[in-house]
Amino acid sequence: MKDLRSQLDERKAKHLYRRRRLSESAQQVETIIDGRPVINFCSNDYLGLANHPKVKQAFKHGIDQYGVGSGSAHLVNGHSKAHHQLEDALAEFTGYPRTLLFSTGYMANLGVAQVLVGRGDSILQDRLNHASLIDGGLLSGARLLRYRHNDIDDLSSKLASRTSGEKLVSSDGVFSMDGDIADVNALANTCSQHDAWLMIDDAHGFGVLGENGRGTLEQADCNIDTVPVYMATLGKAIGTAGAFIAGSDDLIETLIQQARSYIYTTAQPPAVAVATLESLRILQQEPEHRQSLNDNIAYFKQCAAQTDLNLSDSDTAIQPVIVGDVEKTVALSTTLFERNILVTAIRPPTVPEGTARLRITLSAAHTRTHIEQLIEALTQA
Ligand SMILES: *Cc1c(COP(=O)(O)O)cnc(C)c1O
């Protein structure tokens, strides 16, 4: 048996030990973490919907109608009218024929890979893809090939090297630790040349990118013809929980029949779906949240440009400051925390070796003063 204690100690010595900070309030910009009042710059609640009064009210109504637990899996008797309405609403919003709700994005990604590819097939993934896509690829049993970040030539030559079996290419839409955006049109062209499926995981684009918040695909002017498999999560900009896959009727039916991470798990509480329907309504009817977020991103970049901060090339709400060294990154995060600014240190293996970073995320709910305080704390740290 391996010595867990010495493994943990080794992690500590390398500054890779992870600790959970305790939050005592709802997701909001000014919050209390480990007993300290802080301005939060690491939430994925980009539009401030996680604690929106109307979303909370919808959640409560959902509980009055459906109770709390869903009781069973979707294929037993856990598939409620609220889940079904949400799937229809998401299909209409995304412009795909159908969608399927999953309990988490992690599970959605496992399910798609398992259903589309298996032994003898190939799955090709951007090197910076989210861990859930990678894990889905590994679990599928297909040969997993990782191409260089956003490198279409590398992808093409890897696709060309796979002469038999099904091929699935999957990519983050907005890269979760870098904030840059995949070139979806180029990916789509390459996939059609090589008869490969293309899947885009838009966890960080859905709700925020595009004129109507329909995400990376709206921004790139793509649809089901170019991206046959679209995935987005509901726990980030949407402010609730869960995820969905959008695709053809045949894809959705196949997932219902075969995706183990869909079949063998209890359905999410129906009241969550009721709350999500309300979030989706707000998203469509109140573009001002997206506008505030975009204003905040522009303001942050404008302020940061006047400093010597090492910003990445990102136009999204994810604005990493790459530090490199792990110990230094952790020390910076601690210093910021002592100045009541919450920015988590992101370390390997979440990001590649040598690229430890402060991952700043902006929200529609930040004020200009919050952003100025962040910039000042960053330059002094
Ligand atoms: C957060 C995230 C997921 C996982 O979604 P959950 O609903 O949190 O399980 C998947 N892909 C990407 C790119 C993510 O950022």
Side-chain angles (χ1 to χ4, degrees):
M1 277 162 62
K2 61 181 169 186
D3 181 356
L4 299 180
R5 177 46 53 191
S6 66
Q7 252 181 18
L8 289 167
D9 288 344
E10 196 179 318
R11 223 170 228 275
K12 274 186 194 155
K14 289 183 183 158
H15 304 281
L16 292 175
Y17 199 80
R18 294 157 188 245
R19 285 192 174 78
R20 301 170 300 168
R21 285 185 168 136
L22 215 60
S23 165
E24 291 173 50
S25 70
Q27 277 304 306
Q28 52 201 26
V29 160
E30 291 185 25
T31 183
I32 313 263
I33 299 282
D34 282 351
R36 177 184 283 270
V38 290
I39 309 170
N40 184 352
F41 284 100
C42 52
S43 176
N44 299 317
D45 177 29
Y46 300 122
L47 300 176
L49 294 179
N51 191 33
H52 191 291
K54 288 183 183 159
V55 179
K56 292 200 294 190
Q57 197 57 46
F59 200 7
K60 288 174 190 162
H61 285 321
I63 289 171
D64 289 341
Q65 185 175 354
Y66 291 101
V68 179
S70 68
S72 68
H74 284 276
L75 295 185
V76 182
N77 82 333
H79 187 62
S80 71
K81 193 167 172 194
H83 293 128
H84 209 78
Q85 281 172 338
L86 177 57
E87 289 179 346
D88 288 346
L90 287 166
E92 194 183 328
F93 184 57
T94 56
Y96 278 70
R98 278 182 76 184
T99 70
L100 187 69
L101 265 185
F102 281 76
S103 296
T104 69
Y106 190 99
M107 294 162 79
N109 284 345
L110 295 192
V112 169
Q114 176 233 325
V115 158
L116 291 182
V117 289
R119 251 167 259 296
D121 298 331
S122 318
I123 183 161
L124 297 95
Q125 301 211 12
D126 190 290
R127 213 165 252 172
L128 297 188
N129 271 357
H130 191 262
S132 56
L133 286 170
I134 307 286
D135 291 359
L138 292 170
L139 193 68
S140 73
R143 169 91 179 269
L144 174 64
L145 293 97
R146 299 175 75 180
Y147 59 90
R148 284 194 293 274
H149 180 49
N150 269 338
D151 187 335
I152 301 294
D153 292 337
D154 192 29
L155 170 62
S156 285
S157 70
K158 288 195 160 66
L159 276 168
S161 76
R162 306 301 294 165
T163 48
S164 65
E166 286 286 310
K167 291 168 227 171
L168 168 64
V169 174
S170 52
S171 174
D172 283 19
V174 174
F175 287 88
S176 56
M177 296 299 139
D178 294 76
D180 58 335
I181 302 171
D183 186 346
V184 181
N185 282 297
L187 287 170
N189 278 335
T190 309
C191 287
S192 82
Q193 279 161 23
H194 293 272
D195 192 27
W197 292 89
L198 174 60
M199 167 180 185
I200 297 294
D201 171 342
D202 210 17
H204 297 277
F206 186 67
V208 292
L209 291 188
E211 201 179 314
N212 301 293
R214 284 191 282 109
T216 305
L217 299 201
E218 182 176 11
Q219 184 149 308
D221 201 15
C222 288
N223 56 31
I224 188 169
D225 297 331
T226 37
V227 181
V229 190
Y230 179 70
M231 175 275 194
T233 64
L234 304 169
K236 288 168 180 153
I238 306 301
T240 59
F244 68 93
I245 299 290
S248 67
D249 188 42
D250 286 348
L251 174 69
I252 299 304
E253 277 305 319
T254 306
L255 288 166
I256 294 172
Q257 305 306 316
Q258 295 180 24
R260 297 171 67 84
S261 60
Y262 182 74
I263 299 169
Y264 298 107
T265 195
T266 302
Q268 74 171 192
V272 176
V274 177
T276 306
L277 275 162
E278 179 62 14
S279 274
L280 201 59
R281 189 196 63 74
I282 294 172
L283 192 76
Q284 290 169 273
Q285 294 179 2
E286 300 178 10
E288 57 268 29
H289 304 292
R290 213 157 34 252
Q291 190 55 50
S292 308
L293 175 63
N294 288 332
D295 291 348
N296 282 342
I297 296 167
Y299 188 60
F300 171 80
K301 289 186 64 148
Q302 180 196 325
C303 294
Q306 289 157 20
T307 68
D308 55 4
L309 288 173
N310 182 18
L311 274 198
S312 298
D313 188 17
S314 161
D315 293 322
T316 66
I318 302 168
Q319 293 286 333
V321 177
I322 311 277
V323 180
D325 180 62
V326 170
E327 189 175 356
K328 206 166 146 193
T329 312
V330 175
L332 278 169
S333 172
T334 307
T335 307
L336 290 174
F337 187 65
E338 283 159 2
R339 292 169 172 268
N340 305 326
I341 302 276
L342 185 69
V343 182
T344 330
I346 306 283
R347 295 164 274 180
T350 307
V351 292
E353 289 294 336
T355 69
R357 66 198 64 188
L358 297 170
R359 177 178 179 269
I360 295 163
T361 56
L362 297 165
S363 155
H366 286 122
T367 62
R368 289 193 158 209
T369 312
H370 291 140
I371 293 171
E372 286 156 14
Q373 284 172 282
L374 167 69
I375 295 279
E376 194 189 316
L378 278 170
T379 44
Q380 287 176 2

